Amino acid sequence: MSAAPERRVHIIDHPLVQHKLTLMRRKDTSTKTFRQLIHELSALLAYEVTRDMPTQEVEVETPLEKTTGRVIDGKKTVLASILRAGNGFLDGMLEVLPSARVGHIGLYRDPATLKPVEYYFKMPSGMEERDVIVLDPMLATGNSAVAAVDLLKRLHPRSICFVCLVACPEGIANFHGHHPDVAIYTPAVDRGLNDHGYIVPGLGDAGDRIFGTK
């Protein structure tokens, strides 16, 4: 049986994570610095997200003798980036998980309805034996995250989790209302949403700040 939704939210409160997130929140942080910070922060998040990843015992031969050790079980992990802002997570995550496969989910938010519109979906083969880490900097309304996991579940991966920089209560409630079995990993749960569907206090539009488009 799935855990209660509130137990499926993992707050990553490591001091380095919180420090870097605070620097990212500053409105005068440059595009270059913001990009570097999300790269560093995503690598730190990767350690936390993979903490409970299943392993299996294998035999290895050291320069001195044979022994046993543990390696990650199953096929390579999939990093599923919700375009475009999710791509800001990829480089840092891939430093920690260099053999991971990468999938992309193209969704944009209709400015009138705030609902996600799908325009691209591409995942590696053999998803039934893979663990998926969904990447999107913000869990605001939660609509894009719900749509992304809807698409992924059609491929029946072994497990799915969702990673973001900042979440809010409305987004968490919406997401776990549809997918109570999918854990959320985030350094921060902010106060809520404004009239435009942005997280407050938040850090602005993550995609614009990563790519310098505003």
Side-chain angles (χ1 to χ4, degrees):
M1 187 171 74
S2 297
E6 59 270 17
R7 295 184 180 177
R8 303 295 289 169
V9 179
H10 301 267
I11 306 298
I12 301 170
D13 59 359
H14 190 286
L16 281 175
V17 170
Q18 294 297 321
H19 174 81
K20 293 178 188 300
L21 178 61
T22 298
L23 297 179
M24 293 176 72
R25 288 187 189 271
R26 292 177 175 171
K27 67 178 182 180
D28 56 352
T29 295
S30 68
T31 298
K32 177 183 177 182
T33 301
F34 192 93
R35 195 178 293 152
Q36 180 63 33
L37 285 167
I38 196 171
H39 178 89
E40 295 169 356
L41 201 156
S42 61
L44 294 171
L45 295 179
Y47 285 104
E48 295 295 330
V49 172
T50 57
R51 181 182 297 275
D52 297 319
M53 190 170 282
T55 61
Q56 61 179 343
E57 192 172 86
V58 297
E59 184 178 88
V60 296
E61 189 165 353
T62 77
L64 301 177
E65 63 181 39
K66 288 185 178 180
T67 186
T68 59
R70 305 202 69 81
V71 297
I72 294 173
D73 182 45
K75 286 193 173 185
K76 303 298 182 184
T77 300
V78 174
L79 301 175
S81 169
I82 299 179
L83 299 174
R84 65 181 167 145
N87 278 2
F89 270 147
L90 282 176
D91 287 347
M93 287 272 178
L94 286 169
E95 283 195 356
V96 178
L97 299 166
S99 298
R101 302 298 186 255
V102 177
H104 292 92
I105 305 169
L107 298 167
Y108 68 88
R109 187 170 66 168
D110 185 297
T113 66
L114 302 183
K115 298 292 185 182
V117 180
E118 176 195 347
Y119 65 91
Y120 188 76
F121 184 77
K122 182 73 171 179
M123 290 293 142
S125 61
M127 290 291 286
E128 299 86 353
E129 301 174 63
R130 299 186 189 275
D131 299 300
V132 181
I133 301 172
V134 183
L135 309 176
D136 196 0
M138 313 300 283
L139 182 62
T141 64
N143 291 330
S144 293
V146 168
V149 175
D150 284 342
L151 292 168
L152 286 166
K153 282 188 173 180
R154 296 177 190 173
L155 303 179
H156 307 290
R158 185 168 70 169
S159 72
I160 303 173
C161 68
F162 181 86
V163 184
C164 61
L165 290 178
V166 182
C168 66
E170 297 94 324
I172 292 170
N174 184 23
F175 184 76
H176 276 152
H178 291 83
H179 300 294
D181 56 317
V182 178
I184 297 168
Y185 291 81
T186 184
V189 178
D190 280 9
R191 184 173 73 250
L193 297 176
N194 65 14
D195 293 340
H196 302 288
Y198 284 93
I199 297 175
V200 288
L203 48 74
D205 187 298
D208 284 337
R209 298 195 69 187
I210 292 166
F211 299 111
T213 48
K214 209 178 249 190

